Amino acid sequence: MEALRAEILYHNSRYYQFDSPEISDADYDRLLRELIDLETRYPELAAPDSPTQRVGAPPLDKFGAVAHLAPMLSLANAFSAEEIREFDRRCRRWLGSETAVRYVVEPKIDGLAVNLLYERGALRVGATRGDGSVGEDITLNLRTIPAIPLAIPRLENDADRKESEAPPVSERIEVRGEVCMEKEAFRKLNRRRVEEGEVPFANPRNAAAGSLRQLDSRITAKRPLTTFCYAIGTAEGTLLRTHAEVLRALASWGFRVNPLVETVTDIEECIRYYHRIDALRAELPYEIDGIVIKVDDLALQERLGAVSRSPRWAVACKFPALRETTLVEDIIVQVGRTGVLTPVAVMRPVRVGGVTVSRATLHNQDEIDRKDVRIGDTVVIQRAGDVIPEVVEVVKDMRTGEERPFVMPETCPECNSRVTRSEGEAAHRCIGMACPAQLRERIAHFVSRGALDIEGLGEKMAAQLVAAGLIGDPADIFCLSKEKLLGLERMADKSAENLLAAIDRAKRPPLDRLIFALGIRHVGEQTAKRLADAFASINALAAATVEELKSVRDIGPEVAASIAGFFREPANLGVMDKLRRAGVNAREAARQKAASLAGKTFVFTGTLSRMSRSEAKALVESLGGAVGSSVTKTTDYCVSGNEAGSKLEKAKQDGITILDEETFLALIGGGKE
Ligand code: IVH
């Protein structure tokens, strides 16, 4: 269990701290599941800081109050290069320094400040900033965030301390950072919320705030939160001398520290850094709203002190907001895969932060009502990084009285079917089974990357095929012929052949992708994986009762009902049947042998001659085995190819069974299909 824990923690740090995972999500899940199983069987051996302890706890009535050991200050702002230079002059005047002061420059993360108190290496309390002295106790929520270590190694200097010296009275350290949600994760979350008829979050920061303020930490656990840590509050017994050392120490203890941090030797470099980061802003996967300049030397920080709750040794330099005003020329409605109608503002094109914007989502009728957006209104729009632009507010002073309120159409703009809105849902839906817009979106989903992944069949082609009447449901893709394709605009011989070949290759998808491709409501990639693990085939899944579905990990009553409902729908059964007849079937062959390597972990070293590393890995996994990146106590086999490296040495030392390529192929039953 200890080895497994260490392995999981290692992969956590690869993923959350360094953004460079070495194993797939499925492999990671397997490791985690193994640990959960062991902890259930041997609860007395479960460590309090085990990576399994992040799933959330029963809800609270309210958050408690926590006093921070050291106050959480806020930052003074500088709004121009001149004000940045003024900050530098002030620092030097105060320090009586003729020479330059060294600074650390960092991106200013747009999230929520938190304080993490560790006692003897264990996370004890996590709190919001509150009024700077007292915050709210959100420990249970913060414990669910993978990037926050539940335990940190004892302080470095403590480890160096001689046995004879007295240990520090209490080993307490406050780590400070910003909790945020990355843009991509935010988009996914909002998309799901809209699909499910919930109100979307306005921006990643609100999404992070809403997620952190949950009394039920099990909800927080499902939200994709992360952190960047940038300071230490109280640190009893540390011997760190500079802010740069603080950041290095934080990273070495397992905290996520922003990779763009730099140490610079004069204020002009800070100004150049500001412009560099501003230019980079749109490309960053998370939102920032400026940079922070900090005096590097902690002794100098101490001498500078604070004035009215802001330190004199640091300053925030905000970027101009990515906001503009423009005119709403029209409000149109888009129809999604599940029939949800999304109102979209069509605006007079305007440049915001270097990008021309002419459309902004209005989410749903409730949002339009809440903001009172009308056609003809002048509105403030906001583009946060590359997130879809949003209407922030209406400039009411600009109204002429000519503006027209928007009302959701009663019939679908694409197919004229009735539009309905269920009790308690924000979303309006088109109920038309043959709605071309829904069909287009469903097909686009069916062939998309995480689904059947058909090369050359993107959104545009899907729309073209639907418009030409060549396909009426996803199964029709497999009934396409060269003649039919050649009738399409700008479709040449060669591209038709390529497309048909790609379609043919997609006939044997892994089960989880086929399940995901069906577009069952509430069944995302993760849920599809769980279902594929639990059911041997699509037929078995289709036959499952709600009770059986509910017994699958992570599947609740709502999702179970949605799946069962999907397979009761005659039209869907028709499509399933058509797929089968077209020869589309999940790779069941591999699954039948599935048990043969179950529970076995392989590590590869050196080059294999008959297949690539990733093919070998896929083979092992298809037979139920796992592939580790390094030799640990849980490794069962080390497969040694040409020019094997240090892993082979380690495996020999640890007495692990070593297989050459031939023996490996024999073990997995003859190699490739
Ligand atoms: S240092 C006394 N560094 O900005 C110094 N703050 O406007 C305390 N923030 O409350 C903060 N990124 O929530 C620091 N790299 C960074 C930051 C950062 C974001 C936030 C933090 C703070 C606020 C001040």
Side-chain angles (χ1 to χ4, degrees), residues 1-9 35 632-634:
M1 285 167 76
E2 218 172 274
L4 198 50
R5 238 172 357 239
E7 192 169 356
I8 294 172
L9 287 173
L35 184 57
T632 69
K633 284 181 207 149
T634 55

Side-chain angles (χ1 to χ4, degrees), residues 227-521:
T227 59
F228 283 110
C229 289
Y230 46 65
I232 287 179
T234 293
E236 291 163 1
T238 47
L239 294 175
L240 301 165
R241 283 171 320 234
T242 65
H243 182 61
E245 283 178 19
V246 167
L247 296 180
R248 265 197 300 278
L250 286 175
S252 75
W253 297 333
F255 293 92
R256 189 169 180 221
V257 172
N258 194 284
L260 299 171
V261 172
E262 286 179 26
T263 306
V264 300
T265 46
D266 72 59
I267 201 69
E268 294 307 318
E269 263 188 86
C270 296
I271 294 169
R272 283 195 293 276
Y273 179 83
Y274 171 89
H275 292 299
R276 215 163 4 104
I277 299 294
D278 190 12
L280 213 60
R281 183 180 185 189
E283 283 163 42
L284 295 178
Y286 44 83
E287 301 215 312
I288 60 174
D289 55 353
I291 65 157
V292 184
I293 305 177
K294 300 172 182 175
V295 170
D296 186 33
D297 190 318
L298 298 185
L300 296 187
Q301 283 190 5
E302 181 89 11
R303 272 174 57 197
L304 283 157
V307 57
S308 71
R309 310 200 65 77
S310 308
R312 283 197 196 84
W313 47 264
V315 71
C317 319
K318 296 260 192 87
F319 296 136
L322 294 175
R323 286 183 171 206
E324 264 310 328
T325 54
T326 184
L327 186 77
V328 176
E329 293 177 332
D330 197 3
I331 296 179
I332 60 166
V333 167
Q334 283 176 351
V335 187
R337 162 164 69 89
T338 56
V340 171
L341 268 54
T342 305
V344 174
V346 179
M347 304 168 304
R348 179 168 298 167
V350 59
R351 278 182 80 75
V352 195
V355 176
T356 303
V357 168
S358 61
R359 292 193 171 199
T361 173
L362 292 165
H363 300 301
N364 53 47
Q365 183 76 57
D366 286 353
E367 283 290 293
I368 295 184
D369 294 346
R370 196 171 61 77
K371 292 176 183 158
D372 189 17
V373 185
R374 303 179 191 176
I375 300 165
D377 264 337
T378 298
V379 292
V380 177
I381 57 159
Q382 171 168 295
R383 202 181 64 92
D386 51 358
V387 172
I388 308 161
E390 262 235 326
V391 172
V392 182
E393 61 185 4
V394 174
V395 188
K396 297 249 167 82
D397 288 348
M398 302 280 282
R399 280 207 172 145
T400 61
E402 296 287 296
E403 295 75 17
R404 281 179 298 130
F406 166 82
V407 263
M408 201 50 103
E410 282 172 14
T411 56
C412 172
E414 300 253 4
C415 74
N416 272 324
S417 295
R418 203 151 49 82
V419 167
T420 63
R421 181 182 187 171
S422 315
E423 191 77 26
E425 266 206 353
H428 285 75
R429 288 173 198 274
C430 157
I431 58 164
M433 271 219 312
C435 175
Q438 288 183 47
L439 180 59
R440 218 163 48 218
E441 297 293 320
R442 265 204 308 276
I443 304 282
H445 171 78
F446 191 75
V447 300
S448 68
R449 211 101 45 76
L452 291 204
D453 193 11
I454 302 183
E455 225 184 294
L457 218 177
E459 268 177 51
K460 272 204 191 115
M461 175 64 75
Q464 222 183 332
L465 291 168
V466 172
L470 290 182
I471 47 183
D473 64 48
D476 285 341
I477 292 174
F478 296 96
C479 309
L480 288 170
S481 64
K482 197 166 162 191
E483 293 69 49
K484 286 185 189 171
L485 286 177
L486 287 176
L488 292 176
E489 218 175 295
R490 274 189 292 157
M491 175 65 80
D493 236 42
K494 189 77 196 139
S495 32
E497 276 167 24
N498 287 345
L499 182 56
L500 288 172
I503 291 173
D504 202 54
R505 281 197 301 275
K507 283 184 176 168
R508 304 291 313 279
L511 183 57
D512 61 317
R513 281 166 171 255
L514 181 59
I515 297 172
F516 174 62
L518 295 177
I520 306 169
R521 212 167 150 213

Side-chain angles (χ1 to χ4, degrees), residues 602-606 608 613 616-617 620 627-628 637-639 647 664:
F602 288 71
V603 167
F604 291 95
T605 173
L608 300 175
R613 220 16 117 83
K617 185 162 177 273
V620 169
V627 177
Y637 299 107
C638 175
V639 181
K647 287 189 220 169
F664 167 66

Side-chain angles (χ1 to χ4, degrees), residues 108-113 177-181 204-205 208-209 287-289:
K108 185 169 181 321
I109 312 297
D110 195 9
L112 292 106
E178 202 83 350
V179 170
C180 60
M181 193 178 287
R205 186 177 186 284
E287 301 215 312
I288 60 174
D289 55 353

Side-chain angles (χ1 to χ4, degrees), residues 142-187:
L142 291 172
R143 288 180 73 90
T144 68
I145 302 179
I148 296 182
L150 299 174
I152 56 177
R154 299 305 194 75
L155 299 182
E156 271 165 13
N157 56 314
D158 189 30
D160 292 341
R161 217 183 41 232
K162 293 194 195 71
E163 287 280 325
S164 55
E165 292 172 31
V169 189
S170 74
E171 225 177 64
R172 294 193 296 183
I173 179 166
E174 287 178 304
V175 173
R176 278 149 191 198
E178 202 83 350
V179 170
C180 60
M181 193 178 287
E182 297 202 347
K183 294 176 197 170
E184 184 54 36
F186 163 76
R187 269 193 296 262

